[in-house]
Amino acid sequence: MGRATDGKGPARSRERFLQGEAVEAGVRAPISNSWQRCRALGLSPDQPGLPFRDDFERDARIIRAAVPVLDRLQSVLAGSRMNISVADANGTVLMRRFGETSLAGSLPAFQRVPGFVFAERYAGTNGIGLALAERQLVQVYGAEHFAERAQGNACRALPVRDPISGRIEGVLCLGYPRSAEDPALATLIRRAAHAIEKRLLGQSSERERALLRAYLDTGAETTAGPHHSVGVGELTPGMRPSDRAILMEKAAELISCAQRAAVHVTLSDGRRVTLVSRPMTTATGVEGFVTEAILPGPARHEPLLVPWTAEQQPRLTLVPAESARDTAAPAEAGAAAEPAGPEVRAKSAVPAVPAVPAVPVIPAVSVVPSSAAVPLAAAPGPAPGTAAPGLVPLRADARGTDAPTGGSRGSPPPARGLVLVGEPHVGRYALAARRRLELLSDASTRIGTTLDVRRTAEELAETAVPRLADYVTIDLPEAVLRGEEAADPFSDLHRTVVHGISDDCPFHPVGKRIDYNPATPHLRCLTSGQAVLEPDLRTAVGWLAHDPQRTEVMLAHVHSLIAVPLVARGVVLGVAAFYRGRHPAPFDDDDRSLVQELAGRAALSIDNARRYTRERSMVLALQRSLLPQGLPDQDAVDVAHRYLPAESDVGGDWYDVIPLSGTRVGLLVGDVVGHGMLSAATMGRLCTAARSYAELDFSPDEVLTHLDNLVGRLDREATPDAGETGIFGATCLYAVYDPTTQQCTMARAGHPPPALVHPDGTVSFPDIPAGPPLGLGGLPFEAVDIDVPEDSRLVLYTDGLIESRTRDADMVLDRLRGALAHPDRSPEEICETVLETVAPVHPRDDIALLVARTHALAPHRMATWDLPADPSLVSEVRSSALRRLAEWGVEEAGFAAELVLSELVTNAIRHGSGPVRVRLLHGRTLICEVSDCSNTAPHLRRAATTDEGGRGLFLVAQLARSWGTRYLRQGKVIWAECGLDAA
């Protein structure tokens, strides 16, 4: 690192950057971001000097806290070429120390004396300026400095924060030659900064102790009056933690208001406590507030409180907490007020430290540390033999009356009890910490209620506005919205959510592609993986340079920004930006930590939704590929269909329209129990099997029997060890409509019955035996024949249409009946109406809907001949068939029809039994059917050269488009389908 002589390293990268070329990937992200900001500021690497201020506060808190720490560092680093400096939150150097005294004389003037400003906007990339910009420990080494004059140096800098407010009070910086680099300096600077922060906390503790002394010196021991005052820990022996938390919360609010006030607090048992706050000023001028609890006096003959005796006097010990925000949490505040037997101890969320010198306090009164958790300690009580002014609560005996827990009756009224003492700003920090905890708790229930990526992002914005931010924008790649991982999440960002307290802020609209430059907080947070805070947007160079015209307008609406990446499980999902405009206070580091936590939780929910979207898309694509892609050509019915997947998951519903022999058509609807990939795959297997069974001309009850066997076999073949589970059944409805007889044969296996809409608009639900669901086995299925007049509507559906936990089944069927009672509507219109009026708004199960309008084959397009078993009649059948073909105008099909009929009739007479019936059907094709009473079916085979027969069916198969056997209740039908243009 440092000045590179071989054309490589940071020096080469810096040269390339200054020439306007792309920065090499080896440059660290904080350095690269700082260089980008320096360029946007128009800084020159060789600019002559820095601004100097001599009006800084010489006795600032950070100086008083840092002096002994810097003196110690100077002694530790004595003899080294190390310079130690402390700057304020604006980058102004306040103090200097040197390991070698002579080092001061060899340095430029701006490095020798306090007052020079090393903020990044003046000095470019340097330790102090970068620590303020990144708000964390940084190292700047050699050529990583932007200014030429600093190229030979290295430094480490770390922000110093107020432990109570969390705000940056200053920066501790260690500067040294590049040759003196030592990894141990990182530990050294952290320990030194921590020591300064402890001294800052000690300053606050002294102020809190002074307030407590002032409170005690005012003679808080109130004389007798109409009301008795108690400490919060002595209100009742069995006070619930929730009651204590409410009291502590109200006390902190009173202190934060910084005015005289009183509030009545009703406890869960109906008793009312009054909290009173009043100002307090110490002899040294420290101003604060105290909060006391006042409980109404006891009823006659039932004193509520009694004094302690000298022997029972409790001793109070208060221990400090290092975190102001932790103590402010309601649960911990409640715990802090809980007495522990005769020794009342205010508890802390962190290990106790040695108590400070004792100060007088009122014994037996629970003196709770303020919101800042300042260190306090209790002194011994009054001298033996004196009456203790403290109080002890009574407990309720078995008769419901109050009984004392100790002491005697008739003592003087109790002293006033201190609940909380502190400065107003400390109370505000406590309230802010409590609200942050409440926000996180609320976010856990409000974010991720659905598995929709866009809606989850909206929930993040709705949770943050207005409690944390005034406006929130969220940008996600389109691939994430589709459930995929973005190939380039840094450049493929689209505005997904814009939410705020008003609509007047000119953000980019939803749907617009957003291209951020490298210096913007949005891209910086994506690069670093951490939230980026810009407290003052007027000085946020990268944000201002992104879109000058728009940002100039936005500055009238917003003033502070936190940009945070949405990253979960190593996948970059997008970026969220939180803005404040009407809220007067800018974002701080506590807000940044809160936003980081909030975004982390939301990112997990968004990633869960993304993964679910991806899996659901895969399952849905699989299911749609397994469903019919188009409707077959047939003349029996006009069909419309709809498939509506469930909102939560994809199920196993399917439908099918199957052309059958004799101009018939099969209508099939089924539903596999369950959801997910297994159900979709099983649906495909059952749908394929059902079509195969139907095309074999099995009757509806036989088709269901075969499907039942298949489902049972699939259940038995499932392997739990491999992660497979059984199907747990399926339902199915199969209907075969014959336009020549206008009859429909139906059978169902645990499926809802179909709806039949007659030509006059009457709607009925045919009574078809339900049958067991598929997979149970052992029970027969029953088929029913129903007359279906021409121009009727058959409506088949799955249970997702009518079944719902929130709707009555009879009411839904009535609504379905009303939607179908319109005979003038087409199947497409019926589908739309049913889904709009009957289907649930948020379906929990898939919905498959099939609507068929029936047609009838006109009698003049059918020809039938009944023949005795006489071979001599074959020629007459051929002649009659040719004449009918001539009447129909399809003489071109005569040759094929004549040969097919001749072969089929001859086979029926020779190998069949009973009378023979011949039927010609003229539809889209010419269908030749020959039936007899025998159940023996012919089989196509290859005849040897010496065989006299066996070639007839071969000729039929060559001349016909298709042929097959259909079994009747008695006998069979051999059919062949010929084209109308057959030669």
Side-chain angles (χ1 to χ4, degrees):
M1 302 182 71
R3 288 184 178 274
T5 58
D6 57 354
K8 300 179 181 179
R12 175 57 180 161
S13 298
R14 180 174 173 275
E15 292 174 5
R16 290 170 58 88
F17 174 79
L18 295 176
Q19 294 171 4
E21 301 180 19
V23 179
E24 297 178 2
V27 179
R28 293 182 292 135
I31 303 299
S32 175
N33 293 335
S34 180
W35 287 356
Q36 296 284 353
R37 292 193 295 270
C38 293
R39 171 186 286 171
L41 288 165
L43 297 180
S44 172
D46 54 357
Q47 62 187 61
L50 299 174
F52 179 82
R53 292 181 53 195
D54 57 1
D55 58 345
F56 61 87
E57 186 179 355
R58 306 286 174 172
D59 192 34
R61 292 182 65 219
I62 184 68
I63 293 180
R64 287 186 280 114
V67 166
V69 178
L70 263 64
D71 291 342
R72 175 61 178 164
L73 277 177
Q74 186 176 24
S75 64
V76 170
L77 300 174
S80 67
R81 297 185 61 80
M82 188 78 62
N83 68 85
I84 311 155
S85 58
V86 171
D88 63 14
N90 297 316
T92 303
V93 175
L94 305 178
M95 303 173 61
R96 283 283 196 181
R97 295 286 191 276
F98 298 96
E100 291 183 2
T101 306
S102 60
L103 183 62
S106 63
L107 294 178
F110 72 89
Q111 292 187 356
R112 291 198 299 265
V113 297
F116 282 97
V117 182
F118 278 85
E120 192 179 64
R121 61 180 179 273
Y122 304 119
T125 306
N126 70 92
I128 294 176
L130 190 59
L132 290 173
E134 295 293 326
R135 312 180 79 85
Q136 60 183 343
L137 176 64
V138 298
Q139 178 190 19
V140 184
Y141 194 96
E144 292 181 335
H145 288 88
F146 189 78
E148 291 284 355
R149 58 173 173 262
Q151 298 288 297
N153 300 326
C155 63
R156 292 178 185 265
L158 178 64
V160 178
R161 304 176 186 275
D162 185 326
I164 296 177
S165 67
R167 290 201 297 257
I168 294 178
E169 293 289 332
V171 177
L172 175 63
C173 182
L174 300 181
Y176 46 90
R178 293 202 315 267
S179 59
E181 172 61 33
D182 187 346
L185 291 176
T187 302
L188 179 65
I189 194 171
R190 288 184 186 276
R191 294 176 60 185
H194 181 64
I196 298 175
E197 290 173 348
K198 289 182 65 176
R199 292 185 58 82
L200 288 173
L201 179 61
Q203 294 178 12
S204 298
S205 302
E206 286 293 342
R207 298 171 69 91
E208 297 290 344
R209 284 194 291 271
L211 285 172
L212 180 60
R213 293 190 188 100
Y215 169 78
L216 298 174
D217 292 342
T218 58
E221 299 85 352
T222 310
T223 59
H227 292 79
H228 301 280
S229 301
V230 298
V232 69
E234 283 72 47
L235 291 176
T236 175
M239 179 183 290
R240 298 177 180 177
S242 59
D243 291 338
R244 294 193 183 95
I246 291 175
L247 289 177
M248 296 301 298
E249 174 184 331
K250 294 299 181 182
E253 289 179 356
L254 289 177
I255 290 179
S256 66
C257 291
Q259 61 183 4
R260 289 181 179 270
V263 61
H264 297 295
V265 180
T266 302
L267 304 182
S268 59
D269 59 1
R271 303 170 69 188
R272 191 169 71 167
V273 176
T274 301
L275 295 180
V276 179
S277 67
R278 58 187 176 89
M280 181 67 58
T281 304
T282 68
T284 58
V286 178
E287 297 181 352
F289 275 76
V290 295
T291 302
E292 297 169 308
I294 301 177
L295 191 70
R300 180 179 300 179
H301 306 305
E302 292 293 344
L304 179 65
L305 302 163
V306 297
W308 289 94
T309 63
E311 291 77 17
Q312 294 172 324
Q313 175 187 314
R315 180 170 54 88
L316 174 67
T317 303
L318 293 171
V319 296
E322 294 185 3
S323 170
R325 292 173 296 278
D326 291 342
T327 309
E332 295 177 9
E338 182 179 1
E343 178 175 341
V344 183
R345 178 178 298 273
K347 301 176 183 178
S348 173
V350 298
V353 299
V356 298
V359 295
V361 298
I362 303 173
V365 178
S366 179
V367 184
V368 183
S370 74
S371 306
V374 296
L376 300 174
T386 62
L391 305 174
V392 60
L394 303 186
R395 65 187 178 191
D397 60 11
R399 297 184 303 274
T401 60
D402 291 329
T405 57
S408 60
R409 304 188 182 210
S411 299
R416 278 191 164 295
L418 177 63
V419 177
L420 210 61
V421 58
E423 297 177 89
H425 68 276
V426 177
R428 285 193 290 272
Y429 297 149
L431 293 179
R434 176 170 56 81
R435 289 177 181 135
R436 292 187 186 102
L437 292 175
E438 292 173 351
L439 180 60
L440 288 177
S441 176
D442 192 27
S444 64
T445 59
R446 294 187 59 182
I447 301 177
T449 59
T450 69
L451 287 172
D452 179 80
V453 174
R454 191 182 301 273
R455 179 56 193 154
T456 304
E458 291 173 351
E459 290 170 344
L460 168 60
E462 293 169 358
T463 302
V465 175
R467 297 162 64 180
L468 176 61
D470 295 324
Y471 303 94
V472 174
T473 65
I474 299 177
D475 305 322
L476 303 177
E478 284 191 340
V480 172
L481 296 174
R482 296 193 302 267
E484 306 168 3
E485 293 186 16
D488 186 7
F490 298 91
S491 60
D492 183 30
L493 292 171
H494 291 75
R495 182 58 46 84
T496 305
V497 174
V498 176
H499 183 68
I501 57 177
S502 63
D503 299 329
D504 57 349
C505 198
F507 293 106
H508 289 294
V510 172
K512 179 178 176 58
R513 180 188 176 99
I514 310 296
D515 294 316
Y516 294 112
N517 64 53
T520 57
H522 305 75
L523 207 58
R524 285 163 51 200
C525 77
L526 285 175
T527 304
S528 65
Q530 300 294 323
V532 173
L533 168 63
E534 292 289 358
D536 188 357
L537 287 177
R538 293 169 299 180
T539 61
V541 181
W543 182 80
L544 293 171
H546 171 59
D547 190 348
Q549 294 181 350
R550 183 176 295 273
T551 53
E552 185 67 27
V553 177
M554 289 184 62
L555 283 176
H557 299 81
V558 296
H559 59 75
S560 187
L561 162 68
I562 297 178
V564 58
L566 299 174
V567 182
R569 303 180 180 96
V571 178
V572 178
L573 303 172
V575 60
F578 297 74
Y579 295 87
R580 277 186 179 172
R582 296 185 185 178
H583 196 290
F587 286 118
D588 56 23
D589 286 282
D590 287 335
D591 296 319
R592 181 176 66 167
S593 300
L594 175 62
V595 167
Q596 185 87 36
E597 175 68 19
L598 195 64
R601 299 187 182 191
L604 285 175
S605 297
I606 292 175
D607 190 52
N608 291 338
R610 178 191 67 84
R611 290 167 176 257
Y612 168 77
T613 300
R614 179 187 60 188
E615 294 179 2
R616 185 174 186 273
S617 298
M618 294 172 57
V619 175
L620 191 58
L622 171 64
Q623 187 178 44
R624 291 194 181 278
S625 67
L626 296 174
L627 291 173
Q629 302 302 306
L631 297 178
D633 295 332
Q634 46 83 32
D635 294 325
V637 292
D638 294 333
V639 178
H641 55 84
R642 293 291 188 276
Y643 172 75
L644 184 64
E647 283 192 352
S648 58
D649 205 350
V650 178
D653 293 15
W654 86 90
Y655 60 87
D656 205 350
V657 179
I658 309 169
L660 302 175
S661 62
T663 68
R664 299 172 306 138
V665 64
L667 304 176
L668 187 67
V669 172
D671 181 7
V672 176
V673 177
H675 297 84
M677 184 72 75
L678 177 62
S679 295
T682 304
M683 176 274 292
R685 301 170 76 173
L686 294 183
C687 185
T688 302
R691 171 176 279 269
S692 300
Y693 298 145
E695 289 180 343
L696 289 174
D697 272 325
F698 290 139
S699 63
D701 54 326
E702 291 177 314
V703 169
L704 295 183
T705 299
H706 288 294
L707 289 177
D708 181 63
N709 295 332
L710 174 62
V711 172
R713 185 169 64 253
L714 294 177
D715 274 335
R716 291 190 299 272
E717 292 175 354
T719 307
D721 295 339
E724 300 179 5
T725 57
I727 301 173
F728 303 113
T731 65
C732 185
L733 170 64
Y734 181 42
V736 177
Y737 172 68
D738 189 345
T740 63
T741 62
Q742 300 179 38
Q743 277 194 335
C744 187
T745 304
M746 302 183 187
R748 62 188 180 116
H751 202 84
L756 176 60
V757 184
H758 294 268
D760 60 357
T762 304
V763 180
S764 64
F765 296 92
D767 185 13
I768 305 171
L774 301 177
L776 296 183
L779 297 175
F781 299 96
E782 184 177 352
V784 175
D785 294 331
I786 299 174
D787 292 328
V788 180
E790 183 180 6
D791 202 30
S792 297
R793 274 72 169 171
L794 277 171
V795 182
L796 284 66
Y797 51 88
T798 55
D799 57 2
L801 178 67
I802 60 173
E803 292 184 2
S804 174
R805 298 179 181 177
T806 59
R807 303 188 301 171
D808 181 70
D810 293 336
M811 182 191 68
V812 176
L813 289 177
D814 291 340
R815 187 179 300 176
L816 177 60
R817 182 180 284 104
L820 297 177
H822 298 277
D824 55 327
R825 290 177 178 172
S826 67
E828 288 288 343
E829 294 173 337
I830 292 176
C831 286
E832 293 295 332
T833 302
V834 168
L835 291 184
E836 290 176 0
T837 61
V838 182
V841 178
H842 302 287
R844 300 173 60 90
D845 195 6
D846 292 15
I847 297 175
L849 178 63
L850 191 65
V851 179
R853 179 171 59 189
T854 61
H855 297 292
L857 189 62
H860 68 273
R861 300 176 73 87
M862 295 184 291
T864 305
W865 298 275
D866 291 323
L867 306 175
D870 186 355
S872 63
L873 298 177
V874 175
S875 60
E876 294 182 10
V877 172
R878 290 200 302 265
S879 300
S880 299
L882 291 175
R883 287 194 297 270
R884 183 54 63 93
L885 294 179
E887 294 175 4
W888 289 341
V890 289
E891 294 89 346
E892 294 83 357
F895 176 75
E898 185 178 11
L899 290 178
V900 168
L901 283 175
S902 178
E903 179 61 32
L904 295 182
V905 172
T906 301
N907 282 344
I909 293 175
R910 286 184 177 179
H911 307 291
S913 62
V916 177
R917 169 170 288 191
V918 179
R919 187 170 72 161
L920 292 180
L921 303 177
H922 178 206
R924 291 177 178 267
T925 59
L926 180 64
I927 299 174
C928 305
E929 295 183 347
V930 177
S931 61
D932 61 73
C933 296
S934 172
N935 291 325
T936 302
H939 297 281
L940 181 65
R941 63 185 180 87
R942 183 179 297 276
T945 55
T946 57
D947 291 342
E948 295 183 359
R951 297 176 180 84
L953 287 180
F954 177 77
L955 293 176
V956 171
Q958 295 298 314
L959 294 173
R961 291 185 175 180
S962 60
W963 72 279
T965 303
R966 179 171 74 250
Y967 290 94
L968 307 175
R969 288 185 175 87
Q970 183 178 1
K972 66 178 183 299
V973 176
I974 310 298
W975 57 270
E977 182 178 341
C978 302
L980 297 180
D981 57 351

